[in-house]
């Protein structure tokens, strides 16, 4: 009985990136800003995109009138220590298990996914 209750609760759970009215870039940004940083001086805080990171995501993930993303490949080049690797790791998670993943397991609990090198951990019980 408890297992059934837990499965029903997980099925009714929604994520910030599933909010109605979000465009593709908005879903990606919501996912990224829901990630928790697990190591370093900002451990246990949510990722906050810098203005240039937000603009980059909005540009790359914008859709045309038919709902197609015209930009398929993007290159980002800038000096060291500006957050490029952090953004790349977060976007990789977005494509592995977030709103950009082709298919997500909805009936079985998702495993804990950890990108420890850049201090991200993502845990959910769905």
């Amino acid at each position: 009985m408890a297992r059934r209750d837990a499965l029903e609760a997980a099925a009714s759970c929604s994520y910030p990136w599933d909010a109605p009215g979000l465009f593709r870039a908005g879903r990606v940004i919501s996912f990224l800003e829901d990630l928790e940083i697990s190591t370093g001086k900002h451990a246990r805080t949510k990722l906050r995109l810098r203005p240039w990171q937000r603009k980059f995501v909005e540009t790359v993930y914008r859709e045309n009138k038919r709902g197609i993303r015209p930009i398929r490949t993007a290159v980002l080049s800038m000096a060291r220590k500006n957050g490029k690797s952090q953004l790349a790791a977060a976007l990789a998670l977005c494509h592995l298990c977030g709103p950009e993943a082709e298919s997500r397991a909805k009936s079985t609990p998702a495993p804990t996914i950890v990108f420890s090198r850049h201090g991200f951990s993502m845990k959910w019980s769905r």
Side-chain angles (χ1 to χ4, degrees):
M1 191 64 161
R3 179 165 167 73
R4 179 187 289 175
D5 293 340
L7 287 174
E8 287 175 6
S12 67
C13 177
S14 65
Y15 300 111
W17 56 89
D18 288 334
L22 285 177
F23 291 104
R24 189 175 201 160
R27 288 191 304 270
V28 171
I29 289 169
S30 293
F31 176 83
L32 298 179
E33 292 186 336
D34 195 52
L35 291 174
E36 183 178 294
I37 299 171
S38 61
T39 60
K41 75 177 191 181
H42 297 293
R44 299 189 190 123
T45 62
K46 299 280 184 177
L47 174 66
R48 289 183 311 190
L49 292 178
R50 297 174 184 173
W52 72 263
Q53 291 172 321
R54 180 178 293 272
K55 184 175 180 181
F56 179 79
V57 170
E58 288 171 349
T59 301
V60 171
Y61 288 92
R62 72 177 168 78
E63 295 174 308
N64 64 17
K65 292 178 182 177
R66 295 184 306 166
I68 297 172
R69 201 175 101 205
I71 298 176
R72 305 299 296 167
T73 304
V75 176
L76 179 63
S77 177
M78 60 183 356
R80 297 177 59 214
K81 300 292 184 181
N82 278 309
K84 297 181 306 288
S85 297
Q86 178 188 46
L87 180 61
L91 288 172
L93 275 175
C94 183
H95 284 268
L96 287 172
C97 59
E100 288 295 303
E102 287 296 319
S103 63
R104 290 185 277 169
K106 299 223 180 227
S107 60
T108 58
T112 300
I113 297 173
V114 178
F115 265 38
S116 60
R117 179 157 186 229
H118 294 291
F120 291 122
S121 70
M122 182 173 192
K123 301 173 186 174
W124 67 71
S125 61
R126 193 195 274 201

